[in-house]
Amino acid sequence: MSGVARDRSPTGSTGPASTGIRGGPTRRASGPPTATRAHHVIVAFCMAMVVVLLLVDGITTKTLGAAGTDSPSADAPLTGSGPILVSNGHGGLVSRAPAPGKQIALTFDDGPSPRWTPRILTILERAHVTATFFEIGGNAVRAPGLTRRIVRDGFELGNHTFTHPDLATIPAWQRELQLGMTESAFSGIVGYRTQLLRPPYASTPDAITPKQIAAWGQIAAKGYTIAVTNYDTRDWDQPGVASIVASATPSGNQGGIVMMHDGGGKRAQTVAALPRIISVLRQRGFRFVTVAQLQGLRAGAYMTRVGASQRLRGRLFVAMLAVSRAVTGILIAIVFAVAILVALRMLLVLPLASVQVRRARRRERDTSFTPPVSIVVPAYNEAVGIERCVRSLADSRYPSPFEVIVVDDGSTDGTGERVTALGLKGVRVIRQVNAGKPMALNTGLIAAEHDIVVTVDGDTVFEPDSILHLVQPFRDPEVGAVSGNTKVGNRSGLLGRWQHIEYVMGFNLDRRMYEMLDCMPTVPGAIGAFRRTALVDVGGVSGATLAEDTDLTLAIGRNNWCVLYAEDACAWTEAPSTLRGLWRQRSRWAYGTLQSLWKHRDSLWRRREGRIGRRALPYMIVFQVLLPLCAPLIDLFAIYSILFQDPMPILAYWLAFNLFQFTLAWVAFGFDNESRRDLWALPLQQFCHRQVSYLVVYDGVISALLGSHLHWHRIERTGEITVAQAPPVP
């Protein structure tokens, strides 16, 4: 795509009908400044919302601690062996023993688990046994149906924090947040809150440490009743079914609380042991109760129904978490999809490009085809570089007659006068009122005398043999257009070097593949050649899009003309040297590409246009629109994974992605005979330049959806172009 963006006025002119080239006004794409600001606000807002949702999901559901319980401690200061702990009114705890009688309270921690909790509930219900479930809030919002079933079927619900941290090791504000989020989840799911708590990693009273007493005492002072256990089965440690049964069945007549787990890992042994535990306890005369009943209270005494406002807040909280989980799930799917697309692109591009290189080099060995050529240079305020551009064209080593037509499109900086002052043979200037680049091109095409027309941007410098190589493919009468090899001429700075890498490993590598698939979508404005007949077939250059080169090439391809790539026809162009200029250029490219895709969408189902409609357009939609839309989300997900998950998989994925990119770049630089020393900047490009390229696609898509248009912004030129033959490939 062309590397030039210029201001255009809405005026235009009409060319003679006999030329077959359309004339008429070219409308300037413009919109109020507030529209552009609105696009940026929308993009920023969407990104911020994704970040917030990822943080919510990471903090609330992706930091679950492992299951486990404490071992007895020699310095345990808690007096008494009761498993029920309440506040002593002074920041400490008081231990309460169970009510007299052979009563057992079966309790289950770390659920609900979609795999294990339903099995445990089924066993309990069939045996008509009640129990207490201490749920993790993060698990409850991920399986709300199980939480509803627990309450609906008469089981008791307890708080086991939201993400299973050790309450004795986190600040007080985090303890309140852990318990409060779980209460909000319960309020939204079942309409109840519970004052019954089991801290994670709690075990028997003799395992409680002074640090736990200090932390738990503050919690108990807020009205919570803390339940530990008399009989810790340690089923989380996979001790075996027989060991679980033995630990859960008292040897004497003293009842109490039995601790098991229905979540947090594999619970097959717990499920297998539960029927035997129930059978043994019943044979010994024990009665099954809830923790509340074990204290002589009514069943569910610790659970209270919440008001309508608290229920609403709870539902909104649960809904927010559901949305955050959905976003996270979508991002995971996107990560895998992008990984597949990147791998497929590499598998598709490299073999096809390799074949194209061999064919093109055989084809270009014979440079005997030298038809007369007309060179059209549309120029608007190109005084900085127009003299160098025209001199490079006039000095071309081309044996046949050629003419250079500079169309001064209403320049106000003396562009036309500078060309006239050169006094070069075969160079003429046509002046017109400012009508836009498409109209300037059409004016030049109408004035051209020869059947092969080369188009050149006013900031571009040709190598002496570029025209000779560019026209060779036209010896085949089926060829309607030829793309040259655009090179970045100002690559000394980091931004220029990044764009140099992008041109070689992106644009040029893709053009090799497109040639093999016979579906070239873009002949760049910097260097391209056209058969006049092909241009007449499509009515000349259209001003309907901001990417006139892509629009024109797609139209030529739809008319079943062949479009090829001439790698030895090199043109050096000035890439944007500032981020602002880069953003403006890429915004135009992105928006113009979307316009072109929409304009030519009907080729998708027209069989005779299958090369463009079924090859080029799907590839462009996937890799120039969908992939850039997804790629920034991958970067966000990478940060999320490092913060909240095991970072190794995402780091391995990132390394693999960059290895793919480096492989593509290494091969592409070899194809273009470019020095690979510049590839040291490739990793930096992935962190900075790549994000700009992706964000402009967001901006373009939002502009298209809102029905607004982007401005034509002229990129300031510095004339800093270095034309030199690349050194041999190391």
Short mmCIF file of all heavy atoms in Angstrom, two decimals, residues 48-75:
data_model
loop_
_atom_site.label_atom_id
_atom_site.label_comp_id
_atom_site.label_asym_id
_atom_site.label_seq_id
_atom_site.Cartn_x
_atom_site.Cartn_y
_atom_site.Cartn_z
N ALA A 48 -9.77 -0.65 28.45
CA ALA A 48 -9.84 -0.53 29.90
C ALA A 48 -10.82 -1.53 30.49
O ALA A 48 -10.55 -2.13 31.55
CB ALA A 48 -10.23 0.91 30.29
N MET A 49 -11.95 -1.72 29.84
CA MET A 49 -12.93 -2.68 30.34
C MET A 49 -12.37 -4.10 30.32
O MET A 49 -12.59 -4.88 31.25
CB MET A 49 -14.21 -2.60 29.50
CG MET A 49 -15.04 -1.37 29.74
SD MET A 49 -15.55 -1.22 31.49
CE MET A 49 -16.50 -2.74 31.69
N VAL A 50 -11.65 -4.44 29.26
CA VAL A 50 -11.05 -5.77 29.20
C VAL A 50 -10.04 -5.94 30.33
O VAL A 50 -9.99 -6.98 31.00
CB VAL A 50 -10.37 -6.00 27.84
CG1 VAL A 50 -9.57 -7.30 27.84
CG2 VAL A 50 -11.42 -6.05 26.73
N VAL A 51 -9.22 -4.89 30.58
CA VAL A 51 -8.24 -4.96 31.66
C VAL A 51 -8.93 -5.14 33.00
O VAL A 51 -8.53 -5.98 33.83
CB VAL A 51 -7.37 -3.69 31.66
CG1 VAL A 51 -6.50 -3.65 32.91
CG2 VAL A 51 -6.49 -3.65 30.42
N VAL A 52 -10.00 -4.37 33.23
CA VAL A 52 -10.72 -4.47 34.50
C VAL A 52 -11.31 -5.87 34.68
O VAL A 52 -11.21 -6.48 35.76
CB VAL A 52 -11.83 -3.40 34.57
CG1 VAL A 52 -12.76 -3.66 35.74
CG2 VAL A 52 -11.22 -2.01 34.68
N LEU A 53 -11.93 -6.40 33.63
CA LEU A 53 -12.53 -7.72 33.73
C LEU A 53 -11.48 -8.80 33.96
O LEU A 53 -11.70 -9.76 34.72
CB LEU A 53 -13.34 -8.03 32.46
CG LEU A 53 -14.60 -7.19 32.29
CD1 LEU A 53 -15.23 -7.43 30.92
CD2 LEU A 53 -15.62 -7.49 33.38
N LEU A 54 -10.32 -8.65 33.32
CA LEU A 54 -9.24 -9.61 33.57
C LEU A 54 -8.75 -9.53 35.01
O LEU A 54 -8.49 -10.55 35.65
CB LEU A 54 -8.08 -9.35 32.60
CG LEU A 54 -8.28 -9.82 31.16
CD1 LEU A 54 -7.09 -9.38 30.31
CD2 LEU A 54 -8.43 -11.33 31.09
N LEU A 55 -8.61 -8.31 35.52
CA LEU A 55 -8.19 -8.15 36.91
C LEU A 55 -9.22 -8.74 37.87
O LEU A 55 -8.86 -9.41 38.84
CB LEU A 55 -7.97 -6.67 37.23
CG LEU A 55 -6.74 -6.01 36.59
CD1 LEU A 55 -6.74 -4.52 36.87
CD2 LEU A 55 -5.47 -6.66 37.12
N VAL A 56 -10.49 -8.50 37.58
CA VAL A 56 -11.55 -9.06 38.43
C VAL A 56 -11.48 -10.58 38.43
O VAL A 56 -11.52 -11.23 39.48
CB VAL A 56 -12.94 -8.58 37.96
CG1 VAL A 56 -14.05 -9.38 38.64
CG2 VAL A 56 -13.10 -7.10 38.24
N ASP A 57 -11.35 -11.16 37.24
CA ASP A 57 -11.29 -12.62 37.16
C ASP A 57 -10.03 -13.14 37.83
O ASP A 57 -10.08 -14.15 38.55
CB ASP A 57 -11.32 -13.05 35.70
CG ASP A 57 -11.34 -14.56 35.55
OD1 ASP A 57 -12.40 -15.15 35.82
OD2 ASP A 57 -10.31 -15.15 35.19
N GLY A 58 -8.91 -12.46 37.62
CA GLY A 58 -7.66 -12.93 38.21
C GLY A 58 -7.67 -12.87 39.72
O GLY A 58 -7.25 -13.79 40.41
N ILE A 59 -8.18 -11.76 40.26
CA ILE A 59 -8.19 -11.58 41.71
C ILE A 59 -9.20 -12.49 42.38
O ILE A 59 -8.96 -13.03 43.47
CB ILE A 59 -8.47 -10.10 42.06
CG1 ILE A 59 -7.30 -9.23 41.59
CG2 ILE A 59 -8.71 -9.92 43.54
CD1 ILE A 59 -7.57 -7.75 41.70
N THR A 60 -10.34 -12.71 41.74
CA THR A 60 -11.43 -13.41 42.41
C THR A 60 -11.51 -14.90 42.15
O THR A 60 -12.06 -15.64 42.97
CB THR A 60 -12.79 -12.79 42.01
OG1 THR A 60 -12.94 -12.89 40.58
CG2 THR A 60 -12.87 -11.34 42.44
N THR A 61 -11.00 -15.36 41.01
CA THR A 61 -11.20 -16.78 40.71
C THR A 61 -9.96 -17.51 40.24
O THR A 61 -10.02 -18.71 40.00
CB THR A 61 -12.28 -16.97 39.63
OG1 THR A 61 -11.83 -16.35 38.42
CG2 THR A 61 -13.60 -16.38 40.05
N LYS A 62 -8.83 -16.82 40.13
CA LYS A 62 -7.66 -17.48 39.60
C LYS A 62 -6.50 -17.53 40.59
O LYS A 62 -5.37 -17.77 40.21
CB LYS A 62 -7.19 -16.76 38.34
CG LYS A 62 -8.16 -16.87 37.18
CD LYS A 62 -8.31 -18.29 36.71
CE LYS A 62 -9.23 -18.38 35.50
NZ LYS A 62 -9.41 -19.75 35.03
N THR A 63 -6.78 -17.31 41.88
CA THR A 63 -5.71 -17.35 42.87
C THR A 63 -6.05 -18.33 43.98
O THR A 63 -5.69 -18.14 45.12
CB THR A 63 -5.47 -15.96 43.46
OG1 THR A 63 -6.68 -15.45 44.03
CG2 THR A 63 -4.98 -15.00 42.40
N LEU A 64 -6.80 -19.37 43.64
CA LEU A 64 -7.21 -20.34 44.66
C LEU A 64 -6.00 -21.08 45.21
O LEU A 64 -5.19 -21.62 44.47
CB LEU A 64 -8.20 -21.35 44.07
CG LEU A 64 -9.50 -20.75 43.53
CD1 LEU A 64 -10.38 -21.83 42.96
CD2 LEU A 64 -10.23 -20.00 44.62
N GLY A 65 -5.89 -21.11 46.56
CA GLY A 65 -4.81 -21.84 47.19
C GLY A 65 -5.08 -23.33 47.18
O GLY A 65 -6.20 -23.79 46.97
N ALA A 66 -4.05 -24.11 47.43
CA ALA A 66 -4.19 -25.56 47.46
C ALA A 66 -4.88 -26.00 48.73
O ALA A 66 -4.81 -25.35 49.77
CB ALA A 66 -2.81 -26.21 47.35
N ALA A 67 -5.57 -27.15 48.66
CA ALA A 67 -6.21 -27.71 49.84
C ALA A 67 -5.15 -28.16 50.83
O ALA A 67 -4.02 -28.50 50.47
CB ALA A 67 -7.10 -28.88 49.44
N GLY A 68 -5.51 -28.19 52.11
CA GLY A 68 -4.57 -28.64 53.14
C GLY A 68 -5.06 -28.24 54.51
O GLY A 68 -5.96 -27.42 54.67
N THR A 69 -4.49 -28.86 55.55
CA THR A 69 -4.82 -28.54 56.93
C THR A 69 -3.54 -28.50 57.75
O THR A 69 -2.51 -29.06 57.36
CB THR A 69 -5.77 -29.59 57.53
OG1 THR A 69 -5.18 -30.89 57.41
CG2 THR A 69 -7.11 -29.58 56.83
N ASP A 70 -3.60 -27.80 58.89
CA ASP A 70 -2.44 -27.69 59.76
C ASP A 70 -2.28 -28.94 60.62
O ASP A 70 -3.25 -29.65 60.92
CB ASP A 70 -2.58 -26.47 60.68
CG ASP A 70 -2.42 -25.16 59.90
OD1 ASP A 70 -1.69 -25.17 58.90
OD2 ASP A 70 -3.05 -24.17 60.29
N SER A 71 -1.04 -29.16 61.05
CA SER A 71 -0.75 -30.26 61.96
C SER A 71 -0.75 -29.75 63.39
O SER A 71 -0.59 -28.54 63.64
CB SER A 71 0.63 -30.87 61.64
OG SER A 71 0.65 -31.35 60.31
N PRO A 72 -0.94 -30.62 64.39
CA PRO A 72 -0.93 -30.19 65.80
C PRO A 72 0.34 -29.43 66.14
O PRO A 72 1.43 -29.74 65.66
CB PRO A 72 -1.02 -31.51 66.57
CG PRO A 72 -1.71 -32.43 65.63
CD PRO A 72 -1.24 -32.06 64.26
N SER A 73 0.19 -28.36 66.94
CA SER A 73 1.31 -27.50 67.30
C SER A 73 1.59 -27.60 68.79
O SER A 73 0.66 -27.62 69.61
CB SER A 73 1.00 -26.05 66.93
OG SER A 73 1.99 -25.18 67.38
N ALA A 74 2.88 -27.64 69.14
CA ALA A 74 3.25 -27.78 70.55
C ALA A 74 2.94 -26.52 71.34
O ALA A 74 2.74 -26.57 72.56
CB ALA A 74 4.74 -28.11 70.65
N ASP A 75 2.90 -25.36 70.67
CA ASP A 75 2.66 -24.10 71.39
C ASP A 75 1.23 -23.59 71.19
O ASP A 75 0.98 -22.40 71.32
CB ASP A 75 3.66 -23.04 70.95
CG ASP A 75 3.52 -22.71 69.47
OD1 ASP A 75 2.83 -23.47 68.75
OD2 ASP A 75 4.09 -21.69 69.04
#
